[in-house]
Amino acid sequence: MSILRVLGLYFRTIRHIKISQLINRANRLIFRTKLRSIDDCQITSCNNGNIKQSFPSKGKSILGDNEFIFLNKKLSLNFPKDWRNPDIPLLWLYNLHYFDGLLNHSTPSYLKVHLINCWIEDNSHNIGVSWDPYPLSLRICNWIKWIWSYDDSLPDQIDASLFQQATYLSDTLEFHLLGNHLLENAKALIFAGVYFGESIGEIWLRRGLDILKKELDEQILEDGGHFELSTMYHSLVLELVLDVLQLAEEASAPKILAQEAQSFRHTASIMIEWLSIMSHPDQEIAFFNDAAIGIAASPKDLLLRAKKLQVTNRVSLKDSMHHLKSSGYIRVKNNDITAILDIAEVGASYIPGHSHADSLSMECSLFDQRLIVNSGSSEYGSGSRRDYERSTSAHSTLEIDGCNSSEVWGGFRVGRRAHVSGLIIRDDNFISAEHNGYRFLPGSPKHRRSWSITEKKLLITDCINGPFNCAKIYYHIHPSIKVLSSDNDQNGSFEFPNGSRAFWKSTAQMTSIQENLFSIEFGKKLPIKTIVLTIRKSHETKFSISWN
């Protein structure tokens, strides 16, 4: 890539970032925060004994002495080296430092205590991945949650370490990233503030609350969606709000926290409603932007927890249409079919790291079984699989001349962005919109997609307005569905696990069925079939699914 093209790529990416992010990033490089010695963190008093709370259990990740499983990858570790082993994927290491395993009720307590003591001994004087503010924030909350549910006495060094961690976090808040990272930082300050109490605890609590309230006002859209537009991160942020709400309703909660309970309950309510709309009939999330099952609590579990906390959910999924105007998704239900349509912008504009090039993509379930899907997320970082999973071809939508509809690159960056416009909604069963993501190509072609959804048929019409050489439309089919085709490959059928059948038909010049992979969880990919419609001449192509 030429220097001019590289400069253009960086310009198209950086121009969306807030000035405050750039300033904070520069400050982090110039002014390094020093780690206070744990020997200077002996706590004379602590408020932790006033709280007795039980937070939801997490999956089993501590398997034995120094044996762990995260992201479907099991490893036996050698400490202290492996706390920061560069040969282990960074996201796996992050999960190790989260300490979610403390909240698994079936894991023996002696393993948990041993792991905490091991972490303190090996990490109290070393800056590295263990002190990155995001895993640091999750670890602080998980340690405190576990301590509040633990009946026996614990070594004083655990409180000293928590104090050291909270002190360091308060000086390294992620204002350069913002988004869900800053929310987790704020939550950790709130938990640490309640835990330690007294003057320093009140400072942390007030600061965490100020940040959390301000950021929730910005990050939670009017329709309840989290502005990064990832169903997975939406679920994580919802869990965060429910955690703080539960703490605010604790009998001995500080007054400044308790008085915010109703505000947090309202936020949780609209977030629950959004999540309900963005879930399939199988009660799991739709895969738009970074999304995978098993990272956040399931929608079903979040709904049950919200109900226990008296969070209302006014959504009726029997309704024929739900239009999430602020976030840009539409859910349509018509008898046997449920379709979720993506008419969203890249979000959020200044923190698009979890965005994909998925404009006008879709997912649908038929007979309460997922049928058309997007390909999901199986890993982070930079690499060919990450590049593919963010690409247009990994989504059930149209790609022109092998290009992405938005300029995703570098694992978590986005340069040029598609803009969706011209939305038409008619009679609750016809939706149409277009995007200009291919405006950089000769002739600036636009893609318009229309969906017609009736009781027995789904008809998708794709139009390209402008010149192109070759366009491809991808329909990724869920792994539980058997895909059959006729001799001419222009039509065929779907066989469902329960024996039901549906029939598909394509008007493209060439239709093929390709082998592919569906990233249902991080570290777990399943083989699937992808129906690919190839277009070289016609500017309008139809794909239909019908059933009896």
Side-chain angles (χ1 to χ4, degrees), residues 176-187:
H176 64 303
L177 292 179
L178 303 174
N180 68 85
H181 280 238
L182 188 56
L183 291 178
E184 295 290 355
N185 299 164
K187 174 188 165 185

Side-chain angles (χ1 to χ4, degrees), residues 254-413:
K255 183 178 179 180
I256 59 170
L257 176 60
Q259 66 189 14
E260 300 294 339
Q262 194 56 38
S263 174
F264 293 136
R265 182 173 285 105
H266 169 73
T267 300
S269 177
I270 61 173
M271 292 185 73
I272 278 287
E273 292 169 1
W274 189 95
L275 182 61
S276 299
I277 293 167
M278 293 297 292
S279 297
H280 281 270
D282 63 7
Q283 295 185 292
E284 276 290 0
I285 57 173
F287 284 14
F288 292 101
N289 297 309
D290 277 345
I293 292 171
I295 298 298
S298 70
K300 180 180 179 180
D301 288 342
L302 289 169
L303 284 165
L304 288 173
R305 186 182 180 198
K307 187 175 181 180
K308 290 179 181 178
L309 291 170
Q310 299 180 324
V311 174
T312 58
N313 179 9
R314 299 163 296 179
V315 165
S316 172
L317 296 180
K318 295 179 180 179
D319 294 345
S320 58
M321 178 181 287
H322 295 275
H323 182 191
L324 299 167
K325 296 180 181 179
S326 302
S327 49
Y329 295 96
I330 297 176
R331 187 184 204 265
V332 181
K333 179 174 175 56
N334 198 331
N335 199 15
D336 295 318
I337 189 169
T338 300
I340 304 176
L341 317 177
D342 180 1
I343 54 171
E345 302 289 294
V346 169
S349 61
Y350 58 85
I351 178 172
H354 298 298
S355 295
H356 291 194
D358 60 355
S359 295
L360 302 186
S361 66
M362 66 171 296
E363 294 200 337
C364 77
S365 288
L366 186 61
F367 311 128
D368 292 338
Q369 166 65 55
R370 293 192 194 214
L371 174 58
I372 296 176
V373 296
N374 293 317
S375 292
S377 303
S378 66
E379 62 182 55
Y380 278 171
S382 298
S384 59
R385 184 65 195 177
R386 174 66 173 165
D387 290 343
Y388 169 73
E389 289 173 353
R390 298 184 75 204
S391 73
T392 298
S393 61
H395 300 82
S396 292
T397 188
L398 178 143
E399 170 196 78
I400 297 180
D401 292 342
C403 298
N404 290 325
S405 57
S406 289
E407 197 174 20
V408 291
W409 67 284
F412 297 96
R413 293 184 172 88

Side-chain angles (χ1 to χ4, degrees), residues 445-464:
K446 287 187 176 182
H447 170 212
R448 173 166 284 275
R449 170 168 276 191
S450 302
W451 296 269
S452 176
I453 304 170
T454 59
E455 286 190 359
K456 298 296 180 182
K457 186 175 183 179
L458 165 65
L459 175 63
I460 306 162
T461 304
D462 288 291
C463 297
I464 302 174

Side-chain angles (χ1 to χ4, degrees), residues 480-515:
S480 66
I481 306 298
K482 188 176 182 179
V483 185
L484 302 173
S485 64
S486 63
D487 292 339
N488 63 10
D489 290 333
Q490 294 301 104
N491 56 73
S493 63
F494 300 118
E495 290 188 0
F496 290 75
N498 63 2
S500 300
R501 291 172 67 94
F503 305 91
W504 62 268
K505 183 177 181 181
S506 163
T507 66
Q509 288 88 14
M510 184 174 75
T511 304
S512 60
I513 299 176
Q514 300 179 0
E515 303 289 333

Side-chain angles (χ1 to χ4, degrees), residues 1 36 107 111 133 166 189 194 217 230 244 313 319 359 389 406 494 501 507 548:
M1 187 181 293
R36 183 176 175 181
T107 302
L111 285 177
L189 288 180
V194 173
D217 283 345
S230 155
V244 177
N313 179 9
D319 294 345
S359 295
E389 289 173 353
S406 289
F494 300 118
R501 291 172 67 94
T507 66
N548 297 321

